[in-house]
Amino acid sequence: MKLDHIGIAVKSIEDRLHIWKDVLGLDLVSIEEIKDQKVKVAKLDICGTHIELLKSTSEESAVFKFIEKKGEGLHHLCFLVVDIEKALAGMKSHNVRLIDEVPKIGAGGKKIAFIHPKDMGGVLIELRQE
Ligand code: CMX
């Protein structure tokens, strides 16, 4: 398992890019909309791992609700796994609540699934199949 990206909830990608691109000097890789997750994502490279700035595109988005409640900041960690079904079954055997019992298709056509933050010490985890 390895770290794929760190998701940061932001109110405005344009405003926050200044911190990550200009202040920290990271390279912007892409900006894309993920309709299924109701977010616009700016991806910045940090030695092969990514920082993803997440901006909601709808008030129904998980990111919109998160910012309303907690404000901007760390939203989730995403780990790359070889076999996502096997990883989910392994986590379930530890009585960890899966938000997605069955993987969904995320950015780049890859299988993804989220694990509930309440069973992960307050950290939302995303698994993504390599
Ligand atoms: N990190 C840590 N805790 C979080 C959280 C997050 N990102 N999002 C919600 N929570 C906490 C809330 O603070 C709340 O805690 P309390 O009960 O102590 O107040 C609890 O989880 C329940 O949260 P809620 O506000 O009632 O929100 P919901 O239950 O409606 O949804 C969650 C929470 C995690 C199930 C939902 O956000 C979800 O399904 N997330 C997965 C999808 C997602 O986040 N997509 C956006 C990113 C997409 C991408 O990167 O591609």
Side-chain angles (χ1 to χ4, degrees):
M1 188 185 275
K2 74 176 188 200
L3 185 65
D4 180 71
H5 67 260
I6 299 169
I8 312 275
V10 299
K11 288 184 184 167
S12 160
I13 285 183
E14 289 67 31
D15 290 351
R16 293 301 174 224
L17 265 180
H18 171 66
I19 297 174
W20 298 92
K21 223 160 63 86
D22 306 329
V23 179
L24 279 164
L26 303 186
D27 289 328
L28 178 64
V29 176
S30 61
I31 298 185
E32 72 170 300
E33 189 172 337
I34 304 176
K35 290 213 164 81
D36 184 50
Q37 294 291 329
K38 301 183 178 71
V39 287
K40 192 171 156 190
V41 181
K43 189 186 272 198
L44 297 114
D45 182 63
I46 174 160
C47 294
T49 299
H50 297 108
I51 298 288
E52 290 194 356
L53 305 183
L54 310 167
K55 154 86 173 73
S56 64
T57 54
S58 153
E59 293 192 2
E60 287 154 33
S61 162
V63 171
F64 181 87
K65 289 189 201 165
F66 177 87
I67 289 182
E68 285 286 289
K69 208 165 182 176
K70 297 186 186 237
E72 293 180 288
L74 178 64
H75 183 263
H76 69 268
L77 301 182
C78 176
F79 296 103
L80 274 183
V81 294
V82 176
D83 181 339
I84 195 165
E85 278 88 1
K86 193 173 165 193
L88 288 172
M91 294 190 83
K92 202 172 175 182
S93 73
H94 290 281
N95 295 319
V96 168
R97 208 176 336 160
L98 309 180
I99 294 171
D100 303 301
E101 294 267 346
V102 176
K104 296 186 285 203
I105 300 300
K110 304 281 184 180
K111 286 183 182 178
I112 60 162
F114 285 88
I115 316 301
H116 207 288
K118 284 290 164 191
D119 287 344
M120 297 301 290
V123 181
L124 175 62
I125 301 291
E126 177 182 2
L127 300 183
R128 180 177 159 92
Q129 185 160 292
E130 285 182 58

